[in-house]
């Protein structure tokens, strides 16, 4: 697949561009999603504190990111929610967690491979990473834990495009997992549309200027069957992403056209 800028991408929209880390063990129902150890909780809190200090500085220096629509977070202050974003930046999860949700801990659905990395995997888990299980029993435990978090009014971040395509400017098909979780637990969807603006090549400056566009929350339509609600919620949310993304890039193209 070739985009408007002549870059080549996989034909399969869910195919990983980067090689995932080698999985050292499977995530099964033996994995401890809920950690009750006071020592683990303290270490997790300390790591988050350090991350909240240094991640925003490092990520802003790297991407010069801008956050728009923070007012939409206000409606979610007393409820759990599913946060969805297009997966097009190496540090998108870190920016959303440390610079948008800040002190409110954001739990992030991640590949099981990431959690099995020595040392780094424990850091990811401590900072809110929730690994996807590899078997049926593990998946049931994973879903139960996510539902428990939502009942505790915690936000969960899911990338419905599944694979990370760093620098991609389109919107790929959405997997329905995030929307199934939202409908099952009767919580809203918070869309965050990430858009990229190319920067002129300049030593010491990032390649892109990144915008995190927080959109109004989306709810499932009442009075429908669960499958219909999931389908409708997914479709409605994806249309928001497509519209916002297209508007952003159309404005850039129009400015470029006027300069010629």
């Amino acid at each position: 697949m070739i985009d408007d800028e002549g870059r080549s991408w996989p034909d399969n929209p869910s195919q990983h561009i980067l090689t995932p880390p080698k999985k050292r063990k499977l995530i099964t129902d033996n994995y401890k999603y809920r950690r009750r150890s006071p020592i683990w909780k303290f270490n997790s809190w300390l790591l988050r504190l350090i991350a909240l200090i240094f991640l925003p500085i490092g990520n802003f220096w790297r991407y010069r990111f801008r956050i728009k629509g923070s007012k939409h977070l206000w409606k979610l202050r007393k409820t759990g929610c599913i946060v969805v974003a297009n997966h097009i930046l190496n540090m998108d999860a870190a920016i959303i967690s440390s610079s948008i949700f800040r002190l409110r801990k954001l739990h992030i659905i991640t590949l099981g491979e990431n959690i099995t990395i020595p040392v780094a995997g424990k850091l990811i888990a401590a900072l809110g990473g929730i690994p996807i299980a590899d078997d049926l029993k593990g998946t049931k435990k994973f879903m139960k834990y996510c539902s428990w978090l939502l009942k505790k009014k915690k936000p969960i971040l899911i990338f419905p495009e599944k694979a990370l395509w760093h620098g991609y400017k389109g919107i790929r098909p959405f997997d329905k997992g995030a929307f199934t979780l939202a409908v099952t637990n009767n919580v809203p969807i918070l869309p965050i549309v990430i858009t990229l603006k190319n920067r002129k090549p300049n030593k010491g400056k990032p390649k892109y200027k990144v915008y995190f566009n927080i959109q109004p929350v989306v709810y499932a339509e009442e009075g429908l069957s669960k499958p219909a609600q999931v389908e409708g919620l997914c479709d409605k949310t994806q249309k928001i992403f497509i519209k916002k993304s297209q508007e952003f890039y159309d404005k850039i193209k129009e400015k470029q056209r006027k300069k010629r």
Side-chain angles (χ1 to χ4, degrees):
M1 181 171 60
I2 307 298
D3 64 15
D4 294 340
E5 297 179 345
R7 294 175 299 175
S8 179
W9 303 93
D11 292 328
N12 179 0
S14 298
Q15 181 178 332
H16 290 279
I17 301 295
L18 301 176
T19 303
K22 181 180 179 181
K23 183 171 286 190
R24 291 163 176 82
K25 63 179 179 179
L26 295 177
I27 305 298
T28 66
D29 62 326
N30 292 323
Y31 182 82
K32 293 182 180 180
Y33 284 100
R34 290 181 63 179
R35 306 293 183 97
R36 294 180 172 85
S37 167
I39 296 175
W40 189 92
K41 289 181 179 181
F42 174 77
N43 289 338
S44 176
W45 173 84
L46 185 60
L47 286 171
R48 282 197 70 245
L49 179 62
I50 295 172
L52 287 172
I53 294 172
F54 292 103
L55 278 179
I57 298 172
N59 285 326
F60 184 77
W61 177 83
R62 186 176 180 184
Y63 295 114
R64 303 295 195 273
F65 62 85
R66 297 288 186 272
I67 298 170
K68 298 184 177 182
S70 296
K71 61 182 180 181
H72 299 304
L73 295 172
W74 182 250
K75 289 184 178 181
L76 301 171
R77 67 192 186 281
K78 294 182 180 180
T79 183
C81 67
I82 301 295
V83 184
V84 295
N86 47 324
H87 207 4
I88 61 169
L89 199 69
N90 288 336
M91 296 297 288
D92 44 19
I95 293 173
I96 293 172
S97 177
S98 63
S99 297
I100 294 180
F101 280 84
R102 299 178 183 176
L103 294 178
R104 187 180 184 188
K105 186 174 182 178
L106 178 66
H107 298 266
I108 304 165
I109 304 299
T110 184
L111 293 174
E113 287 87 337
N114 294 330
I115 295 294
T116 65
I117 303 172
V119 183
K122 292 183 179 180
L123 291 174
I124 293 171
L127 293 172
I130 308 174
I132 300 170
D134 294 295
D135 63 358
L136 182 58
K137 286 186 178 180
T139 299
K140 289 181 178 179
K141 190 173 181 180
F142 164 82
M143 294 296 289
K144 186 177 180 180
Y145 177 66
C146 290
S147 295
W148 178 80
L149 287 173
L150 293 170
K151 287 177 182 178
K152 290 289 184 179
K153 302 179 180 180
K154 307 296 184 182
I156 298 176
L157 171 63
I158 301 177
F159 294 103
E161 294 176 329
K162 299 174 75 171
L164 167 61
W165 285 16
H166 183 78
Y168 186 68
K169 295 180 180 178
I171 301 298
R172 290 168 281 151
F174 282 5
D175 181 80
K176 294 184 177 63
F179 309 96
T180 300
L181 195 58
V183 169
T184 300
N185 293 278
N186 194 29
V187 296
I189 293 286
L190 177 69
I192 300 181
V193 184
I194 306 174
T195 51
L196 309 172
K197 183 178 180 181
N198 290 348
R199 296 175 66 98
K200 292 181 180 180
N202 194 338
K203 188 176 181 181
K205 287 189 177 182
K207 184 176 181 180
Y208 301 113
K209 187 172 183 179
V210 185
Y211 297 84
F212 289 79
N213 306 281
I214 306 171
Q215 302 300 295
V217 294
V218 185
Y219 296 88
E221 187 175 349
E222 297 181 358
L224 301 177
S225 65
K226 181 178 176 180
Q229 283 185 313
V230 172
E231 185 75 30
L233 186 59
C234 179
D235 184 60
K236 185 177 180 180
T237 304
Q238 186 163 22
K239 286 179 178 177
I240 291 172
F241 275 78
I242 293 171
K243 181 181 178 182
K244 183 65 181 179
S245 178
Q246 190 170 8
E247 288 175 349
F248 179 86
Y249 293 117
D250 282 349
K251 286 181 180 178
I252 292 177
K253 290 178 182 177
E254 181 63 20
K255 288 181 181 178
Q256 292 174 343
R257 187 188 64 80
K258 289 180 178 179
K259 288 180 179 180
R260 292 172 184 171

